[in-house]
Every structure is written in structure tokens, then in C-alpha cells.
Amino acid sequence: MLKFLFHFLKFMFIPFLLGSVIMASYFVFDPFNVVRPHDEFYFSEVGLNEDYVATERYLKQGSAGRYNAFILGSSRAGSGFNAMHWQEKIGKDKRVFSYAASNESIYGIYGKLRLLDEKGDSIKNVLLVICGDFTFARTSNHSHYLFIKHPAVSKGSMKYFQESFLKAYVLTGFFVPYLDYKIFHTKRAYMNAFLKFDRPSNTTIYGAFQAYDREEKILKNEEAYYRHTPFYERPEVIAPYGVQINAAAKVYLTDIMEIFRKHHTDYKIIISPLYDQKRMNEKDVEQLYRIFRKENVYDFSGKNEITNNKFNYYEKSHYRFHVGDSILKVIYNP
């Protein structure tokens, strides 16, 4: 009986000990940079939540009125629009903050503008970038750790926010490749599904989808870059996106417009030129015209000079800085 009890306790103790070590490693290493405050965020082998990075930076720097012009949208807004180039168009007195985030939704865009308004910042200018595949796909918070909104944006609980990262670390097995690499500093093929070895550096993360390293590679050897970057062939006839602006999305758009009116914001709404060449549904475009006025909405979706040329893209999703510059030229130098 005592022998059985000893083996039973040993059997129970080993999983408990292993679980405790895994949990402790999460809080000690803080792999996603969300457990403890960070003075800055840097590229690492772990993908970070861009919404959290940008919001933390804003809360540290922006609440004193440092910024008054904001770029909002998905990572395309971060990869396609250079903050300094936009500043040149709207005036040197404007202080630009790129507040883009990967897979950004209309829910997140509204949450950010609400936060800026609550903090008492002046919202003089806004460049709001809409993407046909992401912006209206979600009208509530995300549960995935890479896309869940900062509690200051979502007004959700910090507990729920933190739990999404802890669950991702433990339940998906993320801790296995992470601790393997952390301990042995050896890259193994199976790690590629969890870790990102193409970006680790001591470079500070500014904006979503940092495009500077990719731009540098293209300028260094454009032929080699595009030879190793896969693009798919688009069909001759491409159906537009379906209607996406539902009742909930319309409420967010209307509330965004109310914030613009309150701050007398000079705003521009840009519909992204995506590589898939799908047009924004005409009913959704008309809805944007009604809410924001037609003269403030610029539709670059569908087949056009930008989307026909693959060299305008870093890959099949993100367009390059010179594309954003050409769009700014159309908007501000008609």
C-alpha cells in the first residue's frame, strides 16, 4: 500500500512540477512583452502584438499632447504610409503618430480614436486606411494573442487580455520551441511555426509591419528579392468583395465621424489598393461617401496602375512606401 501511494504521489508530482516550471518561465521571460512594463519594444524571435506595442508607446508619449495627427488602419497603413512623408503634406507643425496594427478592424480603429479623444489630445489630422479584407470583417474584440486589443482600446479587462497570452504560451505548446531556443540558442526546423527568425534584431519596433528592412533588400537587389518572393496570378475577371458594412460597423463609422466633428479633424479615408485586385463593394463605398462625404474618400481598390504591378508590393499583401507616396500626391496635390 505504501509503495503504491509513493508511486501515485510521484506520478502526480511530476506533472505538477513540470506545469509549475512552464508557468514560471512565462512570468520570468515575459516572451510576449506584456507581463511587465517595457521602456521600448524590439524585434525578436517572438511576434509581438502590434496593437499593444503601439498603444503602450502612445500612453507613454502621447498623453502630454505630443501628437496631433494619426495614421490608422491595418499593417498596410504601417507598410504603405511613411509618417514623415505625410507630415510634409499636412504641415511641419503636425506631429504624426502611426497607430496601425496588424489585422486592424473598424472596432479597433474606433477604440483608438475614442482613446485619443478621452486623453484630451488634439486630433487635427487623420489618415484612415481601409482594407477590403480586414477592416469590416470583425466588429468585436479578437481572442488571438497577436490581435487582441489593448484594454485601453477595447475597454476590456486586463485579466482577459493577459489570459489570452498565457493560454497561447501553454496550451498551443508555444513554450516548447521558445524554451528550446532560449536554452540552447539553436534554430530547428519545427520552430518556424512558432518563432520568427527573419526579423530578430536590436531595432526598435515603430509601426506595424516594419517595411524598412524589406525596402532595403529590394533596393540592394530587386531581382533577387522578387525571385524569392512568391506572388500568385490574378484572374482576368475578379468579383468585388461582398457587402461588409453591417449595422454594427455603421455605428462605429458614425461614431468616428462624430469624433472628427468634435475635433474639427482634417481627415482622409483611403481604400487600399490590394494585390488581390478585388474592388470594394459599391454599396460599402456609397456608405462611406454618405458618412464621410465623397470628397474625403479615395478608392484605390480593384484593377488599376498600382495593383497591376507586383513591384509595388513587398509580397502578396503589403504595398510599398512609394505607393503610399503616390496616393498622398493624388490626395494633397490634385
Side-chain angles (χ1 to χ4, degrees):
M1 182 66 181
L2 288 176
K3 187 176 181 180
F4 168 78
L5 184 59
F6 172 77
H7 285 295
F8 176 77
L9 292 175
K10 185 172 68 171
F11 176 78
M12 295 296 292
F13 178 72
I14 291 174
F16 174 78
L17 179 62
L18 181 61
S20 298
V21 169
I22 294 170
M23 292 287 285
S25 70
Y26 174 79
F27 291 100
V28 169
F29 293 120
D30 189 12
F32 304 115
N33 284 207
V34 296
V35 175
R36 294 182 294 278
H38 292 265
D39 292 331
E40 262 307 347
F41 296 88
Y42 301 92
F43 283 119
S44 72
E45 65 276 1
V46 177
L48 302 184
N49 182 306
E50 293 171 350
D51 188 275
Y52 181 79
V53 170
T55 301
E56 282 292 296
R57 179 172 287 123
Y58 166 72
L59 292 174
K60 290 176 182 177
Q61 301 176 353
S63 56
R66 178 174 176 178
Y67 302 104
N68 57 17
F70 302 89
I71 299 174
L72 295 160
S74 76
S75 55
R76 278 81 172 251
S79 71
F81 294 93
N82 183 298
M84 293 180 63
H85 294 178
W86 184 43
Q87 185 185 43
E88 291 172 1
K89 297 294 185 182
I90 60 178
K92 296 292 185 181
D93 60 319
K94 302 303 189 300
R95 301 176 300 280
V96 178
F97 185 80
S98 183
Y99 208 169
S102 183
N103 284 20
E104 183 64 286
S105 64
I106 194 63
Y107 169 86
I109 292 171
Y110 167 68
K112 290 178 172 66
L113 283 166
R114 179 182 58 196
L115 174 62
L116 299 177
D117 179 51
E118 290 174 351
K119 290 295 181 182
D121 271 348
S122 175
I123 309 174
K124 291 292 185 184
N125 290 78
V126 165
L127 196 65
L128 199 163
V129 182
I130 287 174
C131 297
D133 53 354
F134 282 129
T135 304
F136 300 108
R138 177 174 291 273
T139 54
S140 60
N141 202 359
H142 214 294
S143 58
H144 192 284
Y145 77 97
L146 281 177
F147 311 122
I148 189 172
K149 296 301 169 187
H150 191 296
V153 172
S154 68
K155 298 296 183 185
S157 73
M158 179 59 75
K159 180 176 180 292
Y160 175 75
F161 177 80
Q162 291 290 347
E163 282 177 351
S164 70
F165 290 89
L166 182 57
K167 287 178 180 177
Y169 184 74
V170 177
L171 300 183
T172 67
F174 188 98
F175 69 90
V176 176
Y178 177 74
L179 293 178
D180 183 352
Y181 184 74
K182 198 78 175 174
I183 295 168
F184 298 104
H185 303 287
T186 301
K187 299 177 183 178
R188 311 184 203 280
Y190 85 97
M191 296 176 177
N192 292 328
F194 297 89
L195 306 180
K196 298 184 176 183
F197 296 117
D198 60 326
R199 298 198 306 173
S201 71
N202 59 358
T203 304
T204 305
I205 297 174
Y206 278 104
F209 187 82
Q210 269 295 345
Y212 298 105
D213 57 336
R214 292 169 174 83
E215 194 68 44
E216 184 178 344
K217 289 178 182 177
I218 292 173
L219 295 176
K220 185 177 294 184
N221 191 332
E222 181 178 86
E223 191 276 332
Y225 179 91
Y226 282 99
R227 186 172 67 249
H228 293 98
T229 303
F231 287 86
Y232 60 87
E233 292 294 325
R234 283 83 54 93
E236 281 297 317
V237 179
I238 302 175
Y241 285 105
V243 176
Q244 295 184 329
I245 300 179
N246 58 21
K250 186 177 178 181
V251 170
Y252 286 131
L253 291 169
T254 304
D255 289 345
I256 286 170
M257 188 62 224
E258 285 303 310
I259 293 175
F260 289 166
R261 288 195 184 98
K262 176 181 177 180
H263 289 263
H264 306 286
T265 305
D266 184 344
Y267 61 91
K268 307 295 181 184
I269 312 297
I270 297 168
I271 302 175
S272 280
L274 300 184
Y275 181 76
D276 66 11
Q277 293 192 313
K278 287 187 177 183
R279 285 200 64 82
M280 192 82 172
N281 192 281
E282 61 180 16
K283 291 184 179 180
D284 287 337
V285 176
E286 286 296 328
Q287 188 77 264
L288 294 173
Y289 287 164
R290 285 193 291 271
I291 295 173
F292 297 106
R293 300 198 305 272
K294 187 174 182 178
E295 63 268 24
N296 295 314
V297 179
Y298 300 83
D299 184 6
F300 293 92
S301 66
K303 288 191 173 188
N304 53 54
E305 289 184 0
I306 295 174
T307 61
N308 283 335
N309 186 357
K310 77 173 185 179
F311 297 104
N312 286 329
Y313 298 84
Y314 294 112
E315 24 66 21
K316 59 190 177 183
S317 183
H318 297 86
Y319 47 93
R320 295 170 59 188
F321 279 137
H322 73 262
V323 172
D325 288 344
S326 67
I327 289 173
L328 294 178
K329 187 175 182 180
V330 169
I331 294 173
Y332 292 99
N333 299 289

mmCIF file with all atom_site columns, all heavy atoms in Angstrom, residues 250-263:
data_model
loop_
_atom_site.group_PDB
_atom_site.id
_atom_site.type_symbol
_atom_site.label_atom_id
_atom_site.label_alt_id
_atom_site.label_comp_id
_atom_site.label_asym_id
_atom_site.label_entity_id
_atom_site.label_seq_id
_atom_site.pdbx_PDB_ins_code
_atom_site.Cartn_x
_atom_site.Cartn_y
_atom_site.Cartn_z
_atom_site.occupancy
_atom_site.B_iso_or_equiv
_atom_site.pdbx_formal_charge
_atom_site.auth_seq_id
_atom_site.auth_comp_id
_atom_site.auth_asym_id
_atom_site.auth_atom_id
_atom_site.pdbx_PDB_model_num
ATOM 1   N N   . LYS A 1 250 ? -21.604 50.236 -39.150 1.00 0.00 ? 250 LYS A N   1
ATOM 2   C CA  . LYS A 1 250 ? -22.124 51.571 -39.444 1.00 0.00 ? 250 LYS A CA  1
ATOM 3   C C   . LYS A 1 250 ? -22.146 52.439 -38.202 1.00 0.00 ? 250 LYS A C   1
ATOM 4   O O   . LYS A 1 250 ? -21.854 53.643 -38.260 1.00 0.00 ? 250 LYS A O   1
ATOM 5   C CB  . LYS A 1 250 ? -23.540 51.455 -40.039 1.00 0.00 ? 250 LYS A CB  1
ATOM 6   C CG  . LYS A 1 250 ? -24.099 52.793 -40.499 1.00 0.00 ? 250 LYS A CG  1
ATOM 7   C CD  . LYS A 1 250 ? -25.469 52.626 -41.141 1.00 0.00 ? 250 LYS A CD  1
ATOM 8   C CE  . LYS A 1 250 ? -26.029 53.979 -41.556 1.00 0.00 ? 250 LYS A CE  1
ATOM 9   N NZ  . LYS A 1 250 ? -27.386 53.836 -42.162 1.00 0.00 ? 250 LYS A NZ  1
ATOM 10  N N   . VAL A 1 251 ? -22.480 51.842 -37.061 1.00 0.00 ? 251 VAL A N   1
ATOM 11  C CA  . VAL A 1 251 ? -22.465 52.601 -35.796 1.00 0.00 ? 251 VAL A CA  1
ATOM 12  C C   . VAL A 1 251 ? -21.052 53.086 -35.496 1.00 0.00 ? 251 VAL A C   1
ATOM 13  O O   . VAL A 1 251 ? -20.846 54.251 -35.121 1.00 0.00 ? 251 VAL A O   1
ATOM 14  C CB  . VAL A 1 251 ? -22.994 51.720 -34.641 1.00 0.00 ? 251 VAL A CB  1
ATOM 15  C CG1 . VAL A 1 251 ? -22.749 52.413 -33.299 1.00 0.00 ? 251 VAL A CG1 1
ATOM 16  C CG2 . VAL A 1 251 ? -24.480 51.449 -34.821 1.00 0.00 ? 251 VAL A CG2 1
ATOM 17  N N   . TYR A 1 252 ? -20.053 52.212 -35.666 1.00 0.00 ? 252 TYR A N   1
ATOM 18  C CA  . TYR A 1 252 ? -18.667 52.619 -35.414 1.00 0.00 ? 252 TYR A CA  1
ATOM 19  C C   . TYR A 1 252 ? -18.253 53.743 -36.355 1.00 0.00 ? 252 TYR A C   1
ATOM 20  O O   . TYR A 1 252 ? -17.602 54.713 -35.936 1.00 0.00 ? 252 TYR A O   1
ATOM 21  C CB  . TYR A 1 252 ? -17.722 51.425 -35.579 1.00 0.00 ? 252 TYR A CB  1
ATOM 22  C CG  . TYR A 1 252 ? -17.777 50.431 -34.445 1.00 0.00 ? 252 TYR A CG  1
ATOM 23  C CD1 . TYR A 1 252 ? -17.903 49.068 -34.701 1.00 0.00 ? 252 TYR A CD1 1
ATOM 24  C CD2 . TYR A 1 252 ? -17.708 50.834 -33.112 1.00 0.00 ? 252 TYR A CD2 1
ATOM 25  C CE1 . TYR A 1 252 ? -17.955 48.138 -33.675 1.00 0.00 ? 252 TYR A CE1 1
ATOM 26  C CE2 . TYR A 1 252 ? -17.762 49.918 -32.082 1.00 0.00 ? 252 TYR A CE2 1
ATOM 27  C CZ  . TYR A 1 252 ? -17.888 48.569 -32.364 1.00 0.00 ? 252 TYR A CZ  1
ATOM 28  O OH  . TYR A 1 252 ? -17.942 47.670 -31.331 1.00 0.00 ? 252 TYR A OH  1
ATOM 29  N N   . LEU A 1 253 ? -18.606 53.624 -37.627 1.00 0.00 ? 253 LEU A N   1
ATOM 30  C CA  . LEU A 1 253 ? -18.259 54.663 -38.596 1.00 0.00 ? 253 LEU A CA  1
ATOM 31  C C   . LEU A 1 253 ? -18.902 55.997 -38.233 1.00 0.00 ? 253 LEU A C   1
ATOM 32  O O   . LEU A 1 253 ? -18.267 57.051 -38.310 1.00 0.00 ? 253 LEU A O   1
ATOM 33  C CB  . LEU A 1 253 ? -18.691 54.233 -40.000 1.00 0.00 ? 253 LEU A CB  1
ATOM 34  C CG  . LEU A 1 253 ? -17.914 53.066 -40.624 1.00 0.00 ? 253 LEU A CG  1
ATOM 35  C CD1 . LEU A 1 253 ? -18.615 52.577 -41.890 1.00 0.00 ? 253 LEU A CD1 1
ATOM 36  C CD2 . LEU A 1 253 ? -16.485 53.475 -40.934 1.00 0.00 ? 253 LEU A CD2 1
ATOM 37  N N   . THR A 1 254 ? -20.163 55.940 -37.826 1.00 0.00 ? 254 THR A N   1
ATOM 38  C CA  . THR A 1 254 ? -20.869 57.166 -37.429 1.00 0.00 ? 254 THR A CA  1
ATOM 39  C C   . THR A 1 254 ? -20.234 57.789 -36.192 1.00 0.00 ? 254 THR A C   1
ATOM 40  O O   . THR A 1 254 ? -20.074 59.013 -36.107 1.00 0.00 ? 254 THR A O   1
ATOM 41  C CB  . THR A 1 254 ? -22.353 56.848 -37.168 1.00 0.00 ? 254 THR A CB  1
ATOM 42  O OG1 . THR A 1 254 ? -22.929 56.243 -38.328 1.00 0.00 ? 254 THR A OG1 1
ATOM 43  C CG2 . THR A 1 254 ? -23.118 58.119 -36.833 1.00 0.00 ? 254 THR A CG2 1
ATOM 44  N N   . ASP A 1 255 ? -19.848 56.950 -35.227 1.00 0.00 ? 255 ASP A N   1
ATOM 45  C CA  . ASP A 1 255 ? -19.198 57.453 -34.015 1.00 0.00 ? 255 ASP A CA  1
ATOM 46  C C   . ASP A 1 255 ? -17.820 58.044 -34.324 1.00 0.00 ? 255 ASP A C   1
ATOM 47  O O   . ASP A 1 255 ? -17.398 59.038 -33.709 1.00 0.00 ? 255 ASP A O   1
ATOM 48  C CB  . ASP A 1 255 ? -19.057 56.338 -32.984 1.00 0.00 ? 255 ASP A CB  1
ATOM 49  C CG  . ASP A 1 255 ? -20.391 55.939 -32.374 1.00 0.00 ? 255 ASP A CG  1
ATOM 50  O OD1 . ASP A 1 255 ? -21.363 56.707 -32.532 1.00 0.00 ? 255 ASP A OD1 1
ATOM 51  O OD2 . ASP A 1 255 ? -20.474 54.860 -31.758 1.00 0.00 ? 255 ASP A OD2 1
ATOM 52  N N   . ILE A 1 256 ? -17.124 57.452 -35.276 1.00 0.00 ? 256 ILE A N   1
ATOM 53  C CA  . ILE A 1 256 ? -15.837 58.002 -35.711 1.00 0.00 ? 256 ILE A CA  1
ATOM 54  C C   . ILE A 1 256 ? -16.042 59.395 -36.304 1.00 0.00 ? 256 ILE A C   1
ATOM 55  O O   . ILE A 1 256 ? -15.283 60.334 -36.016 1.00 0.00 ? 256 ILE A O   1
ATOM 56  C CB  . ILE A 1 256 ? -15.173 57.060 -36.742 1.00 0.00 ? 256 ILE A CB  1
ATOM 57  C CG1 . ILE A 1 256 ? -14.629 55.811 -36.037 1.00 0.00 ? 256 ILE A CG1 1
ATOM 58  C CG2 . ILE A 1 256 ? -14.052 57.771 -37.499 1.00 0.00 ? 256 ILE A CG2 1
ATOM 59  C CD1 . ILE A 1 256 ? -14.178 54.712 -36.984 1.00 0.00 ? 256 ILE A CD1 1
ATOM 60  N N   . MET A 1 257 ? -17.065 59.536 -37.125 1.00 0.00 ? 257 MET A N   1
ATOM 61  C CA  . MET A 1 257 ? -17.357 60.831 -37.729 1.00 0.00 ? 257 MET A CA  1
ATOM 62  C C   . MET A 1 257 ? -17.686 61.872 -36.672 1.00 0.00 ? 257 MET A C   1
ATOM 63  O O   . MET A 1 257 ? -17.314 63.048 -36.794 1.00 0.00 ? 257 MET A O   1
ATOM 64  C CB  . MET A 1 257 ? -18.504 60.691 -38.740 1.00 0.00 ? 257 MET A CB  1
ATOM 65  C CG  . MET A 1 257 ? -18.753 61.953 -39.566 1.00 0.00 ? 257 MET A CG  1
ATOM 66  S SD  . MET A 1 257 ? -17.342 62.407 -40.583 1.00 0.00 ? 257 MET A SD  1
ATOM 67  C CE  . MET A 1 257 ? -17.276 64.178 -40.302 1.00 0.00 ? 257 MET A CE  1
ATOM 68  N N   . GLU A 1 258 ? -18.366 61.461 -35.604 1.00 0.00 ? 258 GLU A N   1
ATOM 69  C CA  . GLU A 1 258 ? -18.686 62.385 -34.524 1.00 0.00 ? 258 GLU A CA  1
ATOM 70  C C   . GLU A 1 258 ? -17.411 62.880 -33.832 1.00 0.00 ? 258 GLU A C   1
ATOM 71  O O   . GLU A 1 258 ? -17.309 64.058 -33.462 1.00 0.00 ? 258 GLU A O   1
ATOM 72  C CB  . GLU A 1 258 ? -19.606 61.703 -33.504 1.00 0.00 ? 258 GLU A CB  1
ATOM 73  C CG  . GLU A 1 258 ? -21.043 61.547 -33.972 1.00 0.00 ? 258 GLU A CG  1
ATOM 74  C CD  . GLU A 1 258 ? -21.668 62.887 -34.354 1.00 0.00 ? 258 GLU A CD  1
ATOM 75  O OE1 . GLU A 1 258 ? -21.581 63.840 -33.544 1.00 0.00 ? 258 GLU A OE1 1
ATOM 76  O OE2 . GLU A 1 258 ? -22.207 62.990 -35.462 1.00 0.00 ? 258 GLU A OE2 1
ATOM 77  N N   . ILE A 1 259 ? -16.443 61.995 -33.674 1.00 0.00 ? 259 ILE A N   1
ATOM 78  C CA  . ILE A 1 259 ? -15.160 62.411 -33.085 1.00 0.00 ? 259 ILE A CA  1
ATOM 79  C C   . ILE A 1 259 ? -14.458 63.393 -34.014 1.00 0.00 ? 259 ILE A C   1
ATOM 80  O O   . ILE A 1 259 ? -13.883 64.392 -33.557 1.00 0.00 ? 259 ILE A O   1
ATOM 81  C CB  . ILE A 1 259 ? -14.267 61.171 -32.818 1.00 0.00 ? 259 ILE A CB  1
ATOM 82  C CG1 . ILE A 1 259 ? -14.889 60.313 -31.712 1.00 0.00 ? 259 ILE A CG1 1
ATOM 83  C CG2 . ILE A 1 259 ? -12.847 61.600 -32.429 1.00 0.00 ? 259 ILE A CG2 1
ATOM 84  C CD1 . ILE A 1 259 ? -14.147 59.006 -31.452 1.00 0.00 ? 259 ILE A CD1 1
ATOM 85  N N   . PHE A 1 260 ? -14.516 63.142 -35.323 1.00 0.00 ? 260 PHE A N   1
ATOM 86  C CA  . PHE A 1 260 ? -13.917 64.066 -36.279 1.00 0.00 ? 260 PHE A CA  1
ATOM 87  C C   . PHE A 1 260 ? -14.571 65.444 -36.197 1.00 0.00 ? 260 PHE A C   1
ATOM 88  O O   . PHE A 1 260 ? -13.890 66.473 -36.229 1.00 0.00 ? 260 PHE A O   1
ATOM 89  C CB  . PHE A 1 260 ? -14.050 63.515 -37.699 1.00 0.00 ? 260 PHE A CB  1
ATOM 90  C CG  . PHE A 1 260 ? -13.172 62.317 -37.996 1.00 0.00 ? 260 PHE A CG  1
ATOM 91  C CD1 . PHE A 1 260 ? -13.394 61.539 -39.128 1.00 0.00 ? 260 PHE A CD1 1
ATOM 92  C CD2 . PHE A 1 260 ? -12.123 61.968 -37.160 1.00 0.00 ? 260 PHE A CD2 1
ATOM 93  C CE1 . PHE A 1 260 ? -12.590 60.445 -39.410 1.00 0.00 ? 260 PHE A CE1 1
ATOM 94  C CE2 . PHE A 1 260 ? -11.307 60.870 -37.429 1.00 0.00 ? 260 PHE A CE2 1
ATOM 95  C CZ  . PHE A 1 260 ? -11.547 60.106 -38.561 1.00 0.00 ? 260 PHE A CZ  1
ATOM 96  N N   . ARG A 1 261 ? -15.889 65.468 -36.078 1.00 0.00 ? 261 ARG A N   1
ATOM 97  C CA  . ARG A 1 261 ? -16.583 66.751 -35.980 1.00 0.00 ? 261 ARG A CA  1
ATOM 98  C C   . ARG A 1 261 ? -16.182 67.486 -34.704 1.00 0.00 ? 261 ARG A C   1
ATOM 99  O O   . ARG A 1 261 ? -15.957 68.703 -34.711 1.00 0.00 ? 261 ARG A O   1
ATOM 100 C CB  . ARG A 1 261 ? -18.100 66.528 -35.996 1.00 0.00 ? 261 ARG A CB  1
ATOM 101 C CG  . ARG A 1 261 ? -18.660 66.108 -37.338 1.00 0.00 ? 261 ARG A CG  1
ATOM 102 C CD  . ARG A 1 261 ? -20.169 66.264 -37.369 1.00 0.00 ? 261 ARG A CD  1
ATOM 103 N NE  . ARG A 1 261 ? -20.748 65.771 -38.612 1.00 0.00 ? 261 ARG A NE  1
ATOM 104 C CZ  . ARG A 1 261 ? -21.296 64.577 -38.766 1.00 0.00 ? 261 ARG A CZ  1
ATOM 105 N NH1 . ARG A 1 261 ? -21.369 63.739 -37.719 1.00 0.00 ? 261 ARG A NH1 1
ATOM 106 N NH2 . ARG A 1 261 ? -21.785 64.197 -39.931 1.00 0.00 ? 261 ARG A NH2 1
ATOM 107 N N   . LYS A 1 262 ? -16.099 66.758 -33.612 1.00 0.00 ? 262 LYS A N   1
ATOM 108 C CA  . LYS A 1 262 ? -15.741 67.356 -32.329 1.00 0.00 ? 262 LYS A CA  1
ATOM 109 C C   . LYS A 1 262 ? -14.377 68.023 -32.383 1.00 0.00 ? 262 LYS A C   1
ATOM 110 O O   . LYS A 1 262 ? -14.184 69.107 -31.820 1.00 0.00 ? 262 LYS A O   1
ATOM 111 C CB  . LYS A 1 262 ? -15.761 66.279 -31.234 1.00 0.00 ? 262 LYS A CB  1
ATOM 112 C CG  . LYS A 1 262 ? -15.317 66.775 -29.863 1.00 0.00 ? 262 LYS A CG  1
ATOM 113 C CD  . LYS A 1 262 ? -15.344 65.643 -28.834 1.00 0.00 ? 262 LYS A CD  1
ATOM 114 C CE  . LYS A 1 262 ? -14.826 66.107 -27.481 1.00 0.00 ? 262 LYS A CE  1
ATOM 115 N NZ  . LYS A 1 262 ? -14.861 64.992 -26.477 1.00 0.00 ? 262 LYS A NZ  1
ATOM 116 N N   . HIS A 1 263 ? -13.440 67.387 -33.070 1.00 0.00 ? 263 HIS A N   1
ATOM 117 C CA  . HIS A 1 263 ? -12.061 67.889 -33.108 1.00 0.00 ? 263 HIS A CA  1
ATOM 118 C C   . HIS A 1 263 ? -11.775 68.713 -34.364 1.00 0.00 ? 263 HIS A C   1
ATOM 119 O O   . HIS A 1 263 ? -10.640 69.145 -34.542 1.00 0.00 ? 263 HIS A O   1
ATOM 120 C CB  . HIS A 1 263 ? -11.080 66.723 -33.032 1.00 0.00 ? 263 HIS A CB  1
ATOM 121 C CG  . HIS A 1 263 ? -11.036 66.060 -31.691 1.00 0.00 ? 263 HIS A CG  1
ATOM 122 N ND1 . HIS A 1 263 ? -10.091 66.367 -30.742 1.00 0.00 ? 263 HIS A ND1 1
ATOM 123 C CD2 . HIS A 1 263 ? -11.836 65.119 -31.124 1.00 0.00 ? 263 HIS A CD2 1
ATOM 124 C CE1 . HIS A 1 263 ? -10.291 65.635 -29.656 1.00 0.00 ? 263 HIS A CE1 1
ATOM 125 N NE2 . HIS A 1 263 ? -11.349 64.875 -29.865 1.00 0.00 ? 263 HIS A NE2 1
#
